[in-house]
Amino acid sequence: MLIQHMRANMNLGRLSILSYFLLFSCLANGGKITTSRPFLIDSQVTDMQWVNSTLKDAKPNAKTVFVRSARGSIYRSVDDGMNWVSQRDKMVSTDEEQYQTRIQQMIFSHADPKYAVMKGYGESNWFTKNQGETYTKREFGIMNEIKLHPSQAEWILASKYEGSFPDRYLSLFLSVDFGQSWKKIVSRVFQFEWADPKIKGFNEKTIFACVRKQDAPAKKNFAEWDPNVDFVISHDFFKNSDIVVPHGNRFALHRPYWFVAAMNPEEELEVKLHVSADGGKMFKTAQFPYQLSERSYRVVDSKEGSVFVQVSHSSRDRQFANVYMSGPEGSSYTLSLRAVVKDYRGLSDFERINGVDGVYIANVADTSVEPELKLFGALFVTFDLLCPQEDGMVPTKTVISYDKGAMWKDLTPPTNDHLGRPIVCDGCSLHLNGKTSGFLGPVYSSVSSTGLIMATGNVGHHLHRRQDEINTYFSRDAGRTWEQITKGSFIYEFGDHGALMIMANNREATNTVRYSWNEGLNWTDFKFWEHHIEVENIITEPSGTSQIFILYGRRNDKGVLMQLNFETLHERRCAGINAPGSDASDYEEWTPADALRSGNCLLGRKVTYTRRKRAVQCFNGWDYDRRESKVNCECTRVDFECDFGFQMNEKKECVRVPDMPEVGFGAPQDCSGYFVITKGYRRVPGDSCVGGSVASELEPVIQSCPGFGRTGMVILFAMVALATVFAWFTYIRRKEQVINSLACFSSG
């Protein structure tokens, strides 16, 4: 997803053939799609950011967008991509060469979107307080990393190297005047991050960092794990600091979770994961259900009160990793999925479906298939799970979960192709490309487009990348059913809360996009330029509520930016939001459901969304507010996953992991008051089901600690009884509220 920009000092005459185009439009459906003139840039787009898209006063056509090219050039638009201006003239002195103004990173403030730092490759960095209207260049050595404060717009942390080899190290510097002056606060730092000042016990000066002991001997190799590095916290800009996790060498922040990887000082290749679920106040050692050494971790999702962690247990795990799911506090993990596909960067084909709770899609190795034999120079070579097949892949398939990874199933394939012809394939399922599939369109969903998914892939026994088998697919029910939209691989985007879909071929040069106002029932081609370009992406602002898109790609050795504005088609505004499902309304009610259970329940609750009917052609508007209602369901087996120390067998039963210590079966040594005896199951984090015989059969049993006594038992049972009464009362009240709201809803 890169675009190219042109050199600022290039002869403008060479660009005249492409840049003189005026704004043009094309008739479509009685209105016009307007486009900007193609704007050329010097190299591929490596970063595109909307600065003020979340501001309440950021109306369509009035949003600021920044683009950074692969050559480090910055371009800015203040009208949602209609017009672009190179920022070089604002940032460079007349006697400076172009390479001196190359930008490595665009860093925008969360405290004030008008503040930003453009981090250069050299000693110069550029600071703006007005979204790029003006810049101030400041030089303070080559900065390695820059972090802006979450609530103080002028506070900055930055690291840079000091010393000389072999005792070369990073020092951490602080500026409280937006880069005018700097003060060194600690040396020998590896990572650093501002803490959340809103958390009780922290303040605006609280900083987390991985810091090497100041008196430790010099280390020759920065890539190795270091037993002299600790994860520390300071509340006063490192006048004082405390060790939080000894030997903590790396950390990752996925709010509200903090993850710290700490090495075993006795075995440098072994690391343990420590987790905080309260923003960094308290850390617990993560528990995994296998007696294996954990070599690397990657957090792949941390939503809805639980965490998915990708773990490589061996240095040979280069193409696959196990994915584990945590309990509510993020520290106790059970196996969710084996052998998930990953690439050399550590990215895996494990995707959360946005807009609907609990739905995930992943690609896994098919271990039931015998390794293929391939002929190379009269020699047969066996390809196992660590060696690729003909197209760089191993036998993999796509699976989906509706209960946050507790159970997985194959994707149901479409019955017909995009021309209506039946798809005949015995025992086949649908397989989709993920992040590891290179330039093929990945699984894509949007928070504002309820239940809608676009992806590329194939119907078969395994996922393939052969060009003649790749198609583009669409689901409007969160992955339960699928339709083939077209042949080939396309890149796609949702706009106007999913009411508008747009896509373009991303495997060959094109000058046409396809769009649909009825979720793929009909598609209209639109020629956006007379010249063909290699389209790399189509993007709308982050909220997904706009009808304005930015298309970018490459033409020869240049990049191209264009705005496509569908507001000017003048589709009518959707009506009848207060009477969804009626003939007079453009809206319907939709309830996502778990494909593994009967009834319309997902994560223990029935959630009803109001969304636009498929066949109507109207727009929601950027100010449309999606409606939803919830009611809890009775608990069934799918509301429970395997508890820590258990794994699922072929009968979908949770059985003990071999050679696991006796955890969860007796009173712990530090027992206080009561303890829990597991039955091998625990409720899926975030699941809100209530009652039912299954719950009493699977939920853990509460026991009093030895010697707790009769009084303690009385107190314990009183507490349990009180909690039960309170839960039942809350359930009844919520049920009455939902019934009343539904009655009012239907009467309106």
Side-chain angles (χ1 to χ4, degrees):
M1 295 167 57
L2 305 171
I3 285 202
Q4 299 184 335
H5 290 253
M6 54 190 168
R7 299 175 185 265
N9 59 354
M10 183 177 290
N11 186 341
L12 295 178
R14 296 175 57 190
L15 305 177
S16 60
I17 189 172
L18 299 178
S19 60
Y20 74 91
F21 288 98
L22 298 176
L23 184 71
F24 63 94
S25 61
C26 179
L27 292 175
N29 291 351
K32 296 180 180 180
I33 302 172
T34 59
T35 71
S36 65
R37 67 181 186 274
F39 185 82
L40 298 177
I41 54 180
D42 65 2
S43 53
Q44 297 173 265
V45 166
T46 56
D47 191 13
M48 179 181 289
Q49 295 193 42
W50 274 258
V51 178
N52 60 341
S53 64
T54 58
L55 298 181
K56 292 182 179 180
D57 59 348
K59 303 294 192 302
N61 293 303
K63 297 178 182 177
T64 302
V65 190
F66 282 83
V67 160
R68 181 176 68 88
S69 76
R71 293 185 181 178
S73 299
I74 301 296
Y75 302 87
R76 173 176 175 259
S77 171
V78 296
D79 50 13
D80 236 356
M82 175 62 72
N83 299 283
W84 296 90
V85 176
S86 171
Q87 302 297 281
R88 185 174 185 272
D89 291 342
K90 300 178 184 179
M91 303 169 71
V92 67
S93 301
T94 56
D95 58 343
E96 287 184 314
E97 297 294 333
Q98 181 184 5
Y99 76 89
Q100 294 177 308
T101 59
R102 292 176 60 202
I103 301 302
Q104 185 179 13
Q105 185 181 12
M106 303 186 298
I107 309 167
F108 295 93
S109 171
H110 293 289
D112 187 339
K114 296 178 181 178
Y115 280 66
V117 177
M118 303 298 170
K119 179 179 179 293
Y121 281 91
E123 296 190 357
S124 299
N125 299 282
W126 288 263
F127 299 76
T128 178
K129 296 182 180 181
N130 51 23
Q131 287 189 353
E133 289 292 329
T134 58
Y135 298 89
T136 301
K137 184 177 75 171
R138 298 191 175 101
E139 295 183 356
F140 184 63
I142 299 176
M143 293 185 177
N144 185 65
E145 192 173 8
I146 297 174
K147 302 282 188 179
L148 304 187
H149 196 279
S151 60
Q152 294 289 336
E154 304 227 339
W155 289 15
I156 308 175
L157 289 175
S159 61
K160 71 173 184 175
Y161 281 105
E162 293 188 318
S164 57
F165 186 82
D167 191 24
R168 190 164 180 253
Y169 54 85
L170 284 168
S171 292
L172 185 60
F173 292 81
L174 168 72
S175 174
V176 294
D177 53 13
F178 205 53
Q180 293 186 54
S181 61
W182 295 89
K183 176 184 178 181
K184 181 163 69 174
I185 58 176
V186 66
S187 296
R188 304 180 187 278
V189 65
F190 283 76
Q191 271 185 283
F192 59 93
E193 185 61 78
W194 295 102
D196 186 350
K198 297 189 294 293
I199 294 177
K200 185 178 181 180
F202 296 168
N203 60 60
E204 293 181 330
K205 298 181 179 180
T206 302
I207 301 168
F208 284 108
C210 290
V211 179
R212 197 165 193 266
K213 292 180 172 61
Q214 302 300 309
D215 57 352
K219 190 170 179 62
K220 297 181 180 180
N221 191 339
F222 282 101
E224 295 178 1
W225 293 87
D226 190 340
N228 293 307
V229 173
D230 300 311
F231 181 69
V232 304
I233 187 173
S234 173
H235 300 288
D236 53 9
F237 292 153
F238 278 94
K239 293 178 181 178
N240 300 281
S241 63
D242 298 303
I243 295 176
V244 180
V245 179
H247 315 299
N249 278 217
R250 310 281 192 275
F251 70 81
L253 174 60
H254 296 263
R255 298 187 190 279
Y257 297 96
W258 284 78
F259 302 89
V260 179
M263 69 161 293
N264 180 354
E266 305 299 327
E267 173 54 65
E268 290 196 17
L269 293 179
E270 182 178 312
V271 295
K272 292 294 182 183
L273 187 67
H274 298 258
V275 185
S276 171
D278 55 8
K281 294 184 66 177
M282 181 180 297
F283 283 82
K284 295 182 179 180
T285 302
Q287 295 179 302
F288 291 89
Y290 295 96
Q291 297 301 297
L292 296 173
S293 297
E294 292 90 45
R295 303 292 181 171
S296 69
Y297 302 91
R298 188 183 187 93
V299 178
V300 292
D301 188 71
S302 58
K303 303 290 185 181
E304 301 161 14
S306 63
V307 180
F308 284 98
V309 173
Q310 168 188 310
V311 181
S312 297
H313 291 289
S314 167
S315 59
R316 300 181 64 205
D317 292 344
R318 297 180 180 178
Q319 285 188 287
F320 303 97
N322 290 348
V323 171
Y324 296 85
M325 180 171 59
S326 78
E329 295 184 353
S331 59
S332 177
Y333 289 81
T334 59
L335 180 65
S336 175
L337 202 56
R338 294 182 186 273
V340 175
V341 176
K342 70 170 185 176
D343 64 12
Y344 68 95
R345 299 166 296 177
L347 296 178
S348 60
D349 288 348
F350 190 93
E351 202 69 42
R352 181 178 189 266
I353 302 305
N354 296 301
V356 180
D357 294 342
V359 182
Y360 292 81
I361 291 177
N363 286 331
V364 297
D366 188 353
T367 56
S368 65
V369 177
E370 291 293 329
E372 290 194 10
L373 294 177
K374 301 219 172 277
L375 185 62
F376 286 88
L379 294 176
F380 281 98
V381 180
T382 300
F383 283 67
D384 60 18
L385 293 182
L386 295 177
C387 301
Q389 289 184 359
E390 57 179 332
D391 53 2
M393 299 176 63
V394 299
T396 60
K397 61 181 183 179
T398 302
V399 291
I400 188 169
S401 174
Y402 298 92
D403 51 11
K404 296 189 70 172
M407 293 185 183
W408 297 84
K409 69 180 294 289
D410 294 341
L411 286 179
T412 303
T415 56
N416 299 289
D417 66 11
H418 67 292
L419 298 176
R421 298 171 301 195
I423 298 175
V424 180
C425 186
D426 293 337
C428 294
S429 58
L430 178 62
H431 307 282
L432 305 177
N433 291 297
K435 292 189 289 287
T436 69
S437 297
F439 293 102
L440 297 175
V443 175
Y444 178 71
S445 60
S446 171
V447 173
S448 62
S449 304
T450 308
L452 306 188
I453 311 173
M454 292 282 282
T456 65
N458 62 274
V459 173
H461 295 97
H462 298 101
L463 180 63
H464 297 296
R465 295 182 187 174
R466 292 188 285 270
Q467 186 65 30
D468 61 333
E469 293 189 17
I470 297 172
N471 304 302
T472 299
Y473 297 93
F474 171 67
S475 173
R476 70 184 308 267
D477 55 9
R480 291 197 69 172
T481 60
W482 293 85
E483 304 170 20
Q484 181 179 310
I485 293 296
T486 187
K487 291 283 291 183
S489 174
F490 283 69
I491 196 69
Y492 22 73
E493 179 63 289
F494 299 122
D496 189 40
H497 306 269
L500 177 59
M501 295 165 52
I502 182 171
M503 64 181 184
N505 192 310
N506 68 333
R507 299 296 289 166
E508 58 185 38
T510 183
N511 63 351
T512 302
V513 297
R514 299 178 183 178
Y515 67 92
S516 173
W517 282 98
N518 51 22
E519 297 180 13
L521 291 177
N522 303 103
W523 291 91
T524 302
D525 289 344
F526 171 66
K527 182 178 178 181
F528 58 83
W529 197 20
E530 64 183 65
H531 298 289
H532 284 63
I533 67 172
E534 297 176 56
V535 177
E536 294 178 326
N537 210 352
I538 305 171
I539 300 179
T540 188
E541 49 83 25
S543 69
T545 63
S546 175
Q547 298 177 44
I548 299 173
F549 301 82
I550 296 176
L551 176 147
Y552 65 84
R554 290 177 293 177
R555 175 169 168 77
N556 300 322
D557 61 343
K558 301 295 183 294
V560 182
L561 289 166
M562 292 187 68
Q563 184 202 74
L564 307 180
N565 189 341
F566 287 80
E567 291 180 332
T568 51
L569 274 178
H570 301 302
E571 294 288 341
R572 66 178 180 85
R573 181 90 184 230
C574 298
I577 185 64
N578 293 321
S582 67
D583 294 339
S585 176
D586 293 318
Y587 292 92
E588 65 180 2
E589 290 184 334
W590 173 69
T591 301
D594 190 333
L596 299 173
R597 73 190 295 171
S598 59
N600 293 328
C601 289
L602 193 64
L603 281 182
R605 53 188 173 268
K606 180 179 179 180
V607 184
T608 300
Y609 299 96
T610 298
R611 66 179 187 180
R612 198 198 64 166
K613 293 177 181 177
R614 182 175 189 179
V616 300
Q617 293 193 183
C618 59
F619 74 93
N620 291 302
W622 64 273
D623 56 348
Y624 165 72
D625 187 17
R626 182 182 67 179
R627 298 186 177 188
E628 63 181 68
S629 62
K630 299 180 181 180
V631 60
N632 291 330
C633 303
E634 184 178 283
C635 294
T636 67
R637 169 65 182 87
V638 297
D639 296 303
F640 294 84
E641 64 182 7
C642 293
D643 203 349
F644 174 74
F646 290 79
Q647 63 184 7
M648 193 176 299
N649 61 17
E650 295 179 354
K651 298 179 180 180
K652 305 297 183 182
E653 299 170 337
C654 294
V655 297
R656 280 191 54 77
V657 174
D659 302 324
M660 271 295 295
E662 293 290 331
V663 177
F665 290 92
Q669 293 182 353
D670 57 349
C671 192
S672 175
Y674 67 93
F675 63 97
V676 176
I677 297 179
T678 182
K679 295 180 181 178
Y681 300 85
R682 68 184 181 192
R683 190 173 299 204
V684 173
D687 192 294
S688 60
C689 72
V690 293
S693 59
V694 172
S696 60
E697 294 174 2
L698 302 182
E699 287 185 333
V701 176
I702 300 176
Q703 295 276 0
S704 61
C705 291
F708 190 41
R710 181 181 182 88
T711 303
M713 288 294 295
V714 172
I715 296 175
L716 174 63
F717 283 120
M719 292 174 61
V720 173
L722 183 61
T724 303
V725 171
F726 178 76
W728 178 250
F729 176 76
T730 303
Y731 168 65
I732 294 299
R733 288 291 304 276
R734 288 182 178 176
K735 186 174 181 180
E736 291 175 350
Q737 292 173 359
V738 170
I739 293 174
N740 291 336
S741 64
L742 289 176
C744 295
F745 202 68
S746 59
S747 63

